[in-house]
Amino acid sequence: MSDRLDEILAGGVPGTAAAAVALVAVDGAVVASSVAGELVRYDDAEFTLAEERPPARRDSIFDLASISKLFTTAVLLSLSEDGLLGLDEPIAAWLPGRDPRITTRRLLTHTAGLQPTRRIDLELPGATPAARMAAILDTPITSQTGGPYLYTDVGMVTAGRVAELAGGAPLDELVLARVTGPLGLSDTGYTPGPDKLPRIAATEWKPERPGPGCVRGQVHDETGYGLGGVAGHAGIFATADDVLRFGETLRQGGGPILRPETVAEMLRDQGAEGAAFRHGLGVRLGDPAIAGPLHGSFGHSGFTGTSLVVDPAHRLTVVLLTNAVHPVRGRDDIRALRHAVAAEGLRLALS
């Protein structure tokens, strides 16, 4: 195990995040793990210390935020393997009336020309999740289709809905049936039940949400919350060990959830121009925000302060789960923490 990893997390908690769990695996075996902080440290945006501050543990559960996009991607690729959708077919096959230039591949590479986000909860404050979803699906193309890269939650929400229509089931059920169930990820999923609440890290102070205190056990993302907690871009909660197993599954070729050739296509540079990294299907390649020295890695970050980095050349998977938005967002030093953990992973892989 790594004393350095302990030092890295101790240097970032509670300044960068109230709680953090980090895992490093080489050749599929965990060679370092570290836990720091408290799952609930603050009561409000004024950093008032909570009366009860349960310590973080290795099996603590975090809001993954945009790492959820990788689970949506895995579902879509699984459906493609089964012949239920084609990556280059217009999504109008499932969503009549949508622009025929929008395909699943373009949604997964953020090149469909859709705007980055819509605060649908503010646009339609009294609407049902179904009505809000319908409005998002009606979002027009506002940028060039086919590129350049424009990161869009609207696109991934749409991708999740395409998965539901092609797969004949709600997205949370598809994730369970096609990803988390086969992998045995019992602590991973949308809308965690009350039995898991004691292990969940709190996120942001949102006085408009049911309280008391900061958000805990509900999706942090406002659009995801407005859609009922289940959406293609955000909403999955998980432990570090579950995220590690998911990453390792992709590193080792996808079995039992995907075929090796499907994973190879997922990890192939899809040619999306204009990003600070190369882009696969749903996954970022060599993202400088999370990779540190792991330039040949793939993975994704999450707005709440999470990251998954997988480096096949070094047989390495690095997971960092934090709640850097607790009690407020805007901590720039989460990038430095991600880099430090990734660099420690590389040191351990080379030692």
Side-chain angles (χ1 to χ4, degrees):
M1 293 297 175
S2 168
D3 291 339
R4 293 193 191 185
L5 194 58
D6 289 338
E7 293 173 2
I8 290 167
L9 290 200
V13 175
T16 300
V21 179
L23 296 179
V24 175
V26 179
D27 282 327
V30 175
V31 297
S33 65
S34 186
V35 180
E38 300 155 328
L39 297 179
V40 182
R41 180 172 174 81
Y42 306 106
D43 272 339
D44 53 37
E46 305 304 318
F47 292 81
T48 303
L49 289 176
E51 185 173 333
E52 295 185 13
R53 302 196 294 275
R57 310 185 317 189
R58 179 163 163 171
D59 67 346
S60 294
I61 297 171
F62 290 78
D63 182 336
L64 298 185
S66 284
I67 293 179
S68 305
K69 293 177 171 67
L70 300 187
F71 289 83
T72 303
T73 300
V75 166
L76 286 162
L77 294 178
S78 174
L79 293 169
S80 177
E81 287 185 348
D82 289 349
L84 296 174
L85 63 81
L87 296 178
D88 296 307
E89 289 180 281
I91 65 167
W94 300 276
L95 296 169
R98 294 303 290 138
D99 192 302
R101 294 173 294 171
I102 303 177
T103 63
T104 300
R105 187 184 301 275
R106 284 176 170 168
L107 292 176
L108 293 179
T109 55
H110 299 273
T111 58
L114 293 167
Q115 64 194 58
T117 189
R118 283 183 69 177
R119 283 298 306 274
I120 204 66
D121 57 321
L122 300 180
E123 290 181 39
L124 301 173
T128 64
R132 289 169 173 166
M133 176 64 78
I136 286 183
L137 297 177
D138 199 37
T139 302
I141 289 175
T142 54
S143 298
Q144 182 177 337
T145 303
Y149 169 87
L150 179 62
Y151 185 72
T152 168
D153 282 345
V154 170
M156 286 304 300
V157 171
T158 303
R161 183 59 181 147
V162 169
E164 293 182 328
L165 294 169
L171 184 59
D172 54 346
E173 294 181 14
L174 292 172
V175 169
L176 175 61
R178 292 177 175 269
V179 183
T180 61
L183 295 181
L185 308 184
S186 59
D187 283 326
T188 300
Y190 294 95
T191 59
D195 58 313
K196 288 184 166 60
L197 185 61
R199 290 195 285 139
I200 297 176
T203 55
E204 195 170 11
W205 165 251
K206 291 180 179 290
E208 71 276 14
R209 298 272 189 99
C214 295
V215 173
R216 190 182 187 198
Q218 301 170 341
V219 59
H220 170 267
D221 181 86
E222 294 88 356
T223 300
Y225 182 74
L227 293 172
V230 180
H233 72 303
I236 289 182
F237 290 73
T239 61
D241 278 281
D242 277 8
V243 175
L244 178 69
R245 183 163 186 185
F246 177 65
E248 278 290 299
T249 296
L250 297 178
R251 184 185 70 82
Q252 296 179 40
I257 61 172
L258 294 171
R259 300 170 190 157
E261 59 269 27
T262 302
V263 174
E265 179 64 13
M266 179 184 183
L267 303 182
R268 181 179 68 85
D269 183 358
Q270 299 289 317
E273 299 180 353
F277 41 79
R278 293 165 291 118
H279 212 287
L281 294 176
V283 68
R284 298 177 176 184
L285 311 175
D287 181 0
I290 60 174
L294 303 176
H295 305 298
S297 64
F298 65 86
H300 215 290
S301 60
F303 185 80
T304 49
T306 58
S307 55
L308 167 65
V309 181
V310 182
D311 190 322
H314 293 99
R315 313 169 317 281
L316 173 67
T317 298
V318 179
V319 175
L320 174 64
L321 302 186
T322 83
N323 59 344
V325 295
H326 177 59
V328 294
R329 65 184 70 187
R331 292 185 174 88
D332 293 335
D333 44 0
I334 185 63
R335 182 182 179 116
L337 181 59
R338 287 166 168 156
H339 285 191
V341 172
E344 176 61 6
L346 178 59
R347 186 189 73 83
L348 290 166
L350 296 177
S351 62

